[in-house]
Amino acid sequence: MGSDDTSSTEQIVLAVTRAIVEHRLEPGTKLVEQSLGDRFGVSRTIVRQALFRLSELKLVKLEPARGAFVAAPSMQEAREVFAVRRMVEGQMLRELVQRIRPADIKQLKAHIAEERDAVTRIDVPTRTKLLFDFHVKMAQVLGNQVLVDLMQELVSRCSLISLMYQSADDAETSNAEHVDILSAIEAKDADLAVKLLNEHLDTVEKQLTEHRRTAHARAAR
């Protein structure tokens, strides 16, 4: 596959991922190859490559003879994703406490201020993306691209999970908890930072219910 093909494939992967994270594509939505090809001006072969990559990221499910659909994670998968986030992000925060610079703190504070603004404006797509991106931004500070890619995959899957199972809009609480986590990092208190992170992930996970939310409930977010 040539570099242009790779670029086109990644462009589609990023566009679909963003649409999922911003809750513009709901679980179970069919992704039509021809429509994607027309939108991005690429062949269906390129579209198939992008859909295959999205299936590797667990964001899309490929069904023989039926096509590609936005994934609909099970509750068990949701629990497993949160368990992995606790393991990965806990160690990530300990590294951050040791290595973070004042400029990094300033950048993360600016991100949190953008979250707050989006929450205040009730801008659902923007606030959703920003709240998940905070965790990716922390990985970027460490400069480890493998970690950044892993965090991007995990938060994207969490976005799908929250769209399906989150019973209440708790964006304001998430923003406040991000403030507390960053304060602990700035204070070089690794134990407190990890404790607050685990409580933050617990809060999000406890918002999940055993029943898939209705379209009406999702529309009311």
Side-chain angles (χ1 to χ4, degrees):
M1 186 164 63
S3 59
D4 287 348
D5 288 353
T6 302
S7 175
S8 296
T9 300
E10 285 303 309
Q11 186 181 7
I12 297 170
V13 170
L14 288 172
V16 173
T17 299
R18 184 180 176 90
I20 289 171
V21 169
E22 293 180 357
H23 291 175
R24 288 184 285 110
L25 274 179
E26 295 200 357
T29 302
K30 184 175 177 62
L31 299 172
V32 182
E33 290 181 7
Q34 188 63 54
S35 298
L36 285 169
D38 291 345
R39 177 181 170 186
F40 291 95
V42 297
S43 68
R44 293 179 71 166
T45 300
I46 301 296
V47 172
R48 287 191 195 104
Q49 290 165 348
L51 293 175
F52 179 72
R53 174 64 184 140
L54 286 161
S55 73
E56 290 182 322
L57 295 171
K58 307 299 184 188
L59 296 178
V60 166
K61 184 176 182 182
L62 301 178
E63 298 187 11
R66 291 194 66 222
F69 299 83
V70 176
S74 66
M75 182 54 66
Q76 177 62 27
E77 183 178 340
R79 302 295 185 205
E80 290 172 359
V81 168
F82 277 97
V84 172
R85 284 193 62 179
R86 287 187 187 87
M87 287 183 270
V88 172
E89 292 191 59
Q91 185 57 38
M92 179 177 77
L93 287 195
R94 293 190 183 280
E95 292 278 332
L96 267 177
V97 166
Q98 292 176 11
R99 296 169 49 185
I100 201 160
R101 303 164 301 171
D104 300 323
I105 294 285
K106 185 177 179 181
Q107 183 181 9
L108 289 170
K109 282 183 176 178
H111 182 91
I112 288 174
E114 287 183 47
E115 290 179 4
R116 165 61 56 184
D117 180 60
V119 169
T120 302
R121 288 186 288 109
I122 317 179
D123 182 345
V124 177
T126 301
R127 81 181 181 206
T128 300
K129 182 177 189 304
L130 289 170
L131 287 168
F132 283 112
D133 271 357
F134 175 71
H135 299 264
V136 180
K137 293 281 185 187
M138 290 194 291
Q140 289 172 339
V141 167
L142 292 174
N144 183 324
Q145 190 57 48
V146 174
L147 178 61
V148 171
D149 291 344
L150 176 59
M151 283 307 306
Q152 184 64 65
E153 177 185 343
L154 288 171
V155 301
S156 296
R157 292 173 73 176
C158 278
S159 181
L160 259 182
I161 291 161
S162 73
L163 182 58
M164 286 183 64
Y165 295 111
Q166 206 167 32
S167 59
D169 177 16
D170 220 11
E172 192 166 341
T173 299
S174 289
N175 175 254
E177 289 172 347
H178 287 173
V179 171
D180 293 340
I181 291 168
L182 186 56
S183 294
I185 294 171
E186 190 173 12
K188 301 292 186 183
D189 191 335
D191 288 342
L192 177 59
V194 172
K195 176 177 178 288
L196 290 170
L197 170 74
N198 286 333
E199 289 174 355
H200 173 58
L201 294 177
D202 285 347
T203 298
V204 177
E205 189 172 5
K206 282 173 184 173
Q207 292 165 9
L208 307 183
T209 68
E210 293 296 332
H211 305 289
R212 180 168 175 164
R213 296 166 60 223
T214 64
H216 175 72
R218 287 198 295 273
R221 276 178 61 87

